[in-house]
Amino acid sequence: MHTPEQFKDLYYTYIHNAEDRKMIEEAYEFAKKKHEGQFRKSGEPFFQHPLEVAYIIGELNGGPVTIASALLHDVVEDTDATVEELAEKFGDEVAKIVDSLTKIQRLKLSHRSEDEFVYEDHRKIFLGMAKDVRVILVKLADRLHNMRTVDSLSPERQRALAKETLEVFAPIAHRLGIYRIQSELQDLSLRVLEPKIYQKIVKLVNERTKNRKSNLEDFKKRIADILFKDKIPFRMESRVKSIYSIYRKMYEKGHNFADIYDVLAIRITTNTEQNCYAILGHVHQLYTPIPGRFKDYIAVPKPNMYQSLHTSIVAGDGLTYEVQIRTEEMDQIAEDGIAAHWRYKEGSHYNAREEQKEIEERLHWFRDFVSMSDTNQSAPAKEYMDTLTQDVFEANVYVFTPLGKVIDLPAGSTPLDFAYKIHTKVGDSCVGALINGVGVPLNTALKTGDICEIRTAKNAPGPNESWLNIAKTNSAKGHIRRALQKKDAEIMKAEKVKAGKQACTDSFKTQGVEEAEMERMLSEKRVLDEYHAESLEDLYVMMSNKNPTPGAVIQFLGVRKKADPAELVKKYASSGSKSQAGDSNPIEVPGGVTNLAISLANCCNPIPGDDVIGYISKGKGIVVHRVNCPNITRLSKRLIPVYWKQDLGVSTYPVDLEITASDRNNLLADIISCLGAKNCPCQDLRAHLVTETMNTVVNVTIRVTDSHLLEDVIASVSGVRGVFKVTRVIH
Ligand code: MN
């Protein structure tokens, strides 16, 4: 217990500015007045608690704002004081710190559950909410005093508090390098959780210290003699390892107490790094070092900034001692960690953001500590690094699922990020969100402590383009992009199914087969197997690519128009006309019709590979059209199925193409050379400029052997710079 005078003496030693002192005094009086009439469980006036918390901050040489915040840390939670009132009286900084502390207090983390993961979450939430190292320092001091006075609580409450201290607060003190607070928190917790073991270790340590007292003195004297001679300034003390770290070595790592080298350590503090190494040399000259026990944390500091030389030696009594050698500055950092760095310097202005940044740069562990989501690994490296280097205190929000699980996300994240973080399926089927039970738009930014619930639906429309702007995390964006691509692929497939089906329906109609009957036939297993199609849809997609063509399928099925072609010819064609095409005729008419003239229509210019149909015209014999030629009326009774012969040789057939392109120099030359390269020179070429659009339209007639070559040519011409459309013309 400290008196008000002791407290004042403490901060007067390093805070000299009159205004700063005045603020602390006012905070002191304000808190004392507000807590008047309140008592702790132990019976003492409540105000003793904030006073002790402020004293601990003073021992760490905390600045006036931190001390005032320590004095005021419970007034908003436990009295009628408000944050606004504090802001007015003590400034925004104090008000903000107390506000954060109050919010952390209200989360009542320890009520949730007690497993490992939850404690890990609590550490994250605590750091996420703290946002300011001063908040963490006051909270640690608060907890330290509560643990020092834990005896007045019920045994259950003692255990709960000790457990939480060990799992949540001691690790934070450790990560911040505040060894002084860390070891005391651990020892106090162990005393509550394992009282028998605690007492046993205390006894063992006392015995060893007592037995070694004279040896220790001898050691100190020999070292001191040499250092005096060398005029190396030094301070030497013996230090006992913390009870908790001995406990861990004995009960978690299974060591015997006798085997623990560093229960008793000798610490030598000097002024410069150079002298540290000089002292080490003397120590190793006087005593035998134990191989493998030397560690140079000066050259390679620990992640929490700890620096020191460690070595273990065998002294004259045959017993081992650990020797720690460091500078005064290193010693301060070893004891107080971040707090040492934060030590109040008169006249220097505190810049929270800048200093947080500096700390983050110094503390490598922060990167693992406020861990980024593992899915971010796949994001491009630069984005990943950017995410990492964001100010970590500000970087994360911790949001609860309705079941109390914590999801951590970058600041600014929305319910969509939350949904995708839970599961891709939850994201894809998201239709809305509730935050703290209230429906909100999907672009609402989440805050630490929010309970977020995602509404999903089985037939949810799923992601759309706008979701890419709503989601903040790369992983959610990635999932959304993938879902959109999948949707596009589905739409494309649907279009292909439609096109294939249309082409097929057209062809089958010419054979007098209606759509329903066609679908039945195509669904037969033998048809699907023939073309290695998995389903009817699949077959349609294949047919939209003309592989197979509807004609080929019709041939495979043996579908024939019921009417006998010979009959048709007899009925409609004028007799006597003869086939003029002779052997060079590429078309075959079923039913042994050979005595009619056969010609290819010059409106649609069919070429081998096209799906075709014959039209029996009076006087002209059979004119072969493409099945989709608008010039044949599908319902005409004069239609007759015709097929391309199998081996057609090298004959070529004319095709009219219309090429639309943006106007540029050398366009025609490029098109002509492209056609030449495909070995189908232009027979005729006309070009004109469409003035409204400034596009050039080129009409060209080429000769090709079959539809495969034509497709190849069309693809090739489409690739000429400026060309954006190539169509086959039907006159
Ligand atoms: Mn408190």
Side-chain angles (χ1 to χ4, degrees), residues 596-645:
L596 273 186
I598 294 175
S599 59
L600 302 176
N602 50 22
C603 51
C604 56
N605 290 332
I607 58 174
D610 287 339
D611 283 325
V612 287
I613 185 80
Y615 178 80
I616 307 167
S617 73
K618 279 208 164 99
K620 278 199 238 161
I622 297 174
V623 181
V624 177
H625 290 262
R626 282 153 66 191
V627 292
N628 55 353
C629 177
N631 297 329
I632 54 162
T633 42
R634 290 210 176 86
L635 298 174
S636 166
K637 290 197 163 93
R638 293 171 166 235
L639 294 178
I640 180 171
V642 295
Y643 304 102
W644 296 101
K645 283 180 179 165

Side-chain angles (χ1 to χ4, degrees), residues 40 46 49-50 53 70 73-74 78 105 138-139 141-143 145-146:
R40 303 196 82 208
F46 186 89
H49 168 65
V53 174
H73 81 270
D74 274 330
D78 295 338
Q105 186 74 15
V138 176
K139 187 65 198 171
D142 177 41
R143 179 53 61 106
H145 183 245
N146 284 334

Side-chain angles (χ1 to χ4, degrees), residues 363-380:
L363 297 175
H364 311 264
W365 57 264
F366 232 115
R367 307 207 158 165
D368 346 313
F369 199 54
V370 185
S371 64
M372 292 294 159
S373 76
D374 43 3
T375 42
N376 271 8
Q377 299 285 354
S378 57

Side-chain angles (χ1 to χ4, degrees), residues 38-307:
Q38 295 178 341
F39 294 90
R40 303 196 82 208
K41 286 247 163 61
S42 60
E44 61 184 345
F46 186 89
F47 180 67
Q48 191 65 35
H49 168 65
L51 175 61
E52 296 290 349
V53 174
Y55 193 89
I56 295 168
I57 295 297
E59 286 177 317
L60 293 168
N61 286 10
V65 167
T66 321
I67 292 191
S69 304
L71 288 166
L72 297 164
H73 81 270
D74 274 330
V75 296
V76 174
E77 183 65 6
D78 295 338
T79 78
D80 60 4
T82 63
V83 174
E84 292 71 32
E85 203 176 347
L86 296 186
E88 201 182 302
K89 281 192 156 62
F90 305 103
D92 283 342
E93 278 193 294
V94 171
K96 250 191 205 162
I97 293 173
V98 174
D99 189 36
S100 293
L101 287 163
T102 308
K103 280 179 180 150
I104 291 169
Q105 186 74 15
R106 283 179 185 162
L107 265 182
K108 300 241 183 284
L109 298 174
S110 54
H111 289 269
R112 287 184 186 270
S113 136
E114 281 197 11
D115 67 56
E116 279 299 306
F117 298 106
V118 173
Y119 284 127
E120 170 69 26
D121 287 341
H122 292 176
R123 288 200 291 268
K124 288 180 180 176
I125 292 170
F126 175 50
L127 282 180
M129 287 192 74
K131 287 187 181 147
D132 183 327
V133 164
R134 294 173 298 182
V135 173
I136 300 177
L137 290 180
V138 176
K139 187 65 198 171
L140 288 174
D142 177 41
R143 179 53 61 106
L144 181 57
H145 183 245
N146 284 334
M147 282 306 295
R148 281 178 183 168
T149 53
V150 79
D151 288 348
S152 50
L153 303 177
S154 71
E156 299 79 58
R157 190 74 197 113
Q158 285 190 28
R159 289 187 64 83
L161 210 63
K163 218 166 166 205
E164 195 193 47
T165 301
L166 211 49
E167 300 288 346
V168 179
F169 294 98
I172 288 172
H174 171 68
R175 298 295 176 95
L176 296 174
I178 312 173
Y179 178 77
R180 223 202 288 209
I181 289 183
Q182 176 205 340
S183 60
E184 194 180 343
L185 286 176
Q186 286 171 332
D187 285 0
L188 289 167
S189 302
L190 186 66
R191 199 180 63 109
V192 169
L193 295 170
E194 299 284 358
K196 279 191 191 129
I197 294 177
Y198 179 85
Q199 295 306 339
K200 187 180 144 194
I201 296 173
V202 169
K203 215 175 128 209
L204 287 170
V205 170
N206 284 343
E207 273 165 21
R208 184 181 286 191
T209 325
K210 214 167 70 197
N211 292 342
R212 292 192 177 190
K213 206 158 188 180
S214 62
N215 286 312
L216 214 57
E217 290 310 314
D218 181 51
F219 173 90
K220 281 185 182 174
K221 199 179 161 303
R222 289 183 68 180
I223 295 287
D225 282 348
I226 293 178
L227 297 184
F228 272 128
K229 219 185 281 166
D230 270 18
K231 295 196 175 81
I232 296 174
F234 72 96
R235 185 161 61 81
M236 198 161 20
E237 63 195 356
S238 40
R239 156 221 163 258
V240 179
K241 196 176 177 69
S242 86
I243 305 296
Y244 183 77
S245 42
I246 295 172
Y247 163 81
R248 287 208 31 183
K249 281 214 166 155
M250 290 174 72
Y251 293 88
E252 286 178 17
K253 294 183 180 163
H255 292 285
N256 279 324
F257 183 74
D259 300 335
I260 303 175
Y261 289 112
D262 56 353
V263 168
L264 214 55
I266 295 149
R267 181 173 301 161
I268 308 172
T269 327
T270 184
N271 56 344
T272 63
E273 246 179 58
Q274 206 180 350
N275 278 338
C276 291
Y277 290 102
I279 294 171
L280 177 76
H282 287 307
V283 171
H284 279 182
Q285 230 165 14
L286 280 174
Y287 299 96
T288 316
I290 300 173
R293 298 277 310 166
F294 170 67
K295 288 191 185 98
D296 186 347
Y297 293 120
I298 290 181
V300 186
K302 285 190 185 182
N304 63 9
M305 311 193 302
Y306 178 89
Q307 283 188 298

Side-chain angles (χ1 to χ4, degrees), residues 382-419:
K382 181 166 181 318
E383 272 179 51
Y384 182 59
M385 281 315 292
D386 286 350
T387 324
L388 268 185
T389 49
Q390 272 171 25
D391 189 347
V392 285
F393 279 100
E394 305 277 349
N396 283 25
V397 291
Y398 301 95
V399 181
F400 293 100
T401 68
L403 294 176
K405 192 174 180 279
V406 171
I407 304 289
D408 62 332
L409 296 160
S413 290
T414 63
L416 275 185
D417 297 297
F418 178 86

